Amino acid sequence: MCLVKSMDSIKTEIEELRKTLRYHSDRYYNDDAPEIEDYEYDMMMRKLKSLEDEHPEYDDPDSPTKRVGGKADNTFESVVHTVRMESLQDAFSEGELYDFEKRVLDVVSDPKYCVEPKIDGLSVSLEYENGIFVRGSTRGDGNVGEDVTGNLRVIRNIPLKLNRDIPFIEVRGEVYMPKKSFDRVIDRQLLNGEKPFKNPRNAAAGSLRQKDSAVTASRGLDIFVFNVQQVEGVTLNSHKESLDFLKELGFNTIPEYTLVDSVSKAVDVIRGIGEKRGELEYDIDGAVIKVDDFSMRAELGSTAKFPKWAIAFKYPPEEKQTKLIDIEIAVGRTGVLTPTAVLEPVHLAGTTVSRATLHNQDFINEKGVNIGDTVTVRKAGDIIPEVLCVNEKCSDGSFVYPTVCPSCGSDVVRENGEAAIRCINPDCPAQLLRNLIHFCSRDAMDIEGLGPSILETFVNNGLISKTQDIYKLTFESIAEANLEGFKEKSINNIISSVENSKKNDLGKLLFALGIRHIGAKAGSLLASHFKNIQAVMNASCDDILEIDGFGAVMAQSVVDFFKNEKSKRLVDGLIESGVNTKSLSVVTDTRFAKKTFVLTGTLPTLKRAEASEIIERFGGKTSSSVSKKTDYVLAGEEAGSKLDKAIALGIEIISEEQFMEMIK
């Protein structure tokens, strides 16, 4: 009985590992949103492989150990790879590299090895006909990827025409985001109130999968090419020869590839790469050893998943102990208070580390972290090092967050179910620029001419120090600042746009105020229900909950916002400046009364906002999700899961043409 139970538990463990690995593989490859470090994933994969080797009776052809992570996203057309884009077997110790050498020497004699850094990015294939770039695709599962030609064309280091007219060549490279580009993208995301990318690898993957190639172009991506997949009209005999050839053609090849005649020398090169990886302008997660000679590679062959002629050494996350000197609280541009550990400097993963993230108060409490403790610090897949644990307690208890914002002195709040503690003062200096950008954006007050860079210039030159200052801008105040590029016409355009924004509906103003959880739709619903801003400010949670579509969190967020004295002063300032604070929406017809519409896909002539406005003018409402309460789904081209759900629920689906008939 014990044996049966033991075997059952092994089978359960294998199945759980497969399930967990599939989940994290999907988060990493297809969502670009990993939840665990690469090292943890690799260790789980290794454990699963070991259990499968010991228990072949539980073999599964669909096991994660037999597949390259990732699949073709149906956003792009599928591409079948003529030459399979294999992944590499991983090694986590130098001993495993010597084992690799033994396996190679069992088959071939006197091999040379090429050693190169392993770039942490997104693997792609580039195809050229007669020297012209014709197609680019992602690796996907190794056999089928996705066509991202348009987005690859905007990466400047990908040549659109080669230096020689080769009949056909397919090369493999790694698209990555340089650290400087990553920093710029993160700054922009924080300003826009977006969730920032976790690290450069995910930023590169997310940027390459954009539907709009202009977005991809703005992200500053780069590429290193490291392999010839197939070529016509040229004979290449070795890996180093092929890399030199790729350079001649105009490709940005993998940096610092080194030819050695033994794995012991390769190990020296790998150690050297590891010592300076923190100084590189791009992320690497290891180094690769490849048999150089192509004829030897053919003899060695491949397994179902890996080539037998190459191995990737993965640098383990380096951990060190040091003293925690202080804990600083910074206020981010979304109002979140973030703790950072100030450390006695320690050398870690090629750089000197003196600061590390502490995430939030829950993390601090869980680890029992306090000033003066000796802590373990790790720098793994993320750019910012983190505190792992306390090794030696030198103080009692844990660090406690301040109850007021360090930037403006306002009370801070923590909403139910959230780890973040945040300042909700709309005039908090730390959040000013982000709040201004949101206030002036198209769906908010739509002040054309006051984009992010101009707002930043105005803030830096003292023209705007709080939101209501936008309406104190004059031609004279801008002209007297003597700012470069601001001529009479551009200044007049800004002043005119500011004046026009005063006429906006109350719904746009409520969204512009940046109330937590209140989007453009919720702002419109508040305006339609309460009619003027004073009524919104005086409303209780119960009053707001009478609005269909509002939950307790949204209602409480509105109440908390208008409790803040600084919010009240902001509204008073806007009223004094002549900004409209009344609802302008008028129901002209009640034919859609008590009817709920869901919009999905791209409509032929109407924008979604225009269709929503018509529906509301005729007494109906729109929702973002399909349910049994939905009356109509207005569907356009490329309608996705909402359309599928509507069909499953038997909800009436209408086209724009039918919709226009309904409002005649």
Side-chain angles (χ1 to χ4, degrees), residues 376-395:
T376 294
V377 186
R378 177 175 73 178
K379 188 176 183 183
D382 289 337
I383 297 299
I384 302 172
E386 64 176 344
V387 171
L388 284 182
C389 61
V390 174
N391 299 99
E392 184 181 345
K393 286 293 292 180
C394 299
S395 59

Side-chain angles (χ1 to χ4, degrees), residues 306-339:
F306 307 117
K308 295 180 181 179
W309 42 263
I311 193 165
F313 179 80
K314 303 291 281 288
Y315 295 111
E318 191 175 357
E319 300 176 4
K320 292 257 179 97
Q321 291 186 19
T322 187
K323 187 174 181 180
L324 197 158
I325 301 169
D326 196 8
I327 296 176
E328 294 180 354
I329 302 292
V331 185
R333 286 167 171 165
T334 59
V336 174
L337 275 61
T338 304

Side-chain angles (χ1 to χ4, degrees), residues 435-442 444-447 450 455 470:
N435 289 344
L436 290 171
I437 291 169
H438 173 74
F439 188 89
C440 297
S441 63
R442 181 173 297 175
M445 295 304 279
D446 194 16
I447 305 179
L450 286 185
L455 284 168
I470 290 171

Side-chain angles (χ1 to χ4, degrees), residues 234-246 292 294:
V234 176
T235 300
L236 299 170
N237 298 307
S238 71
H239 185 62
K240 185 178 183 304
E241 181 188 354
S242 72
L243 290 175
D244 293 338
F245 176 66
L246 289 172
D292 186 52
F294 287 165

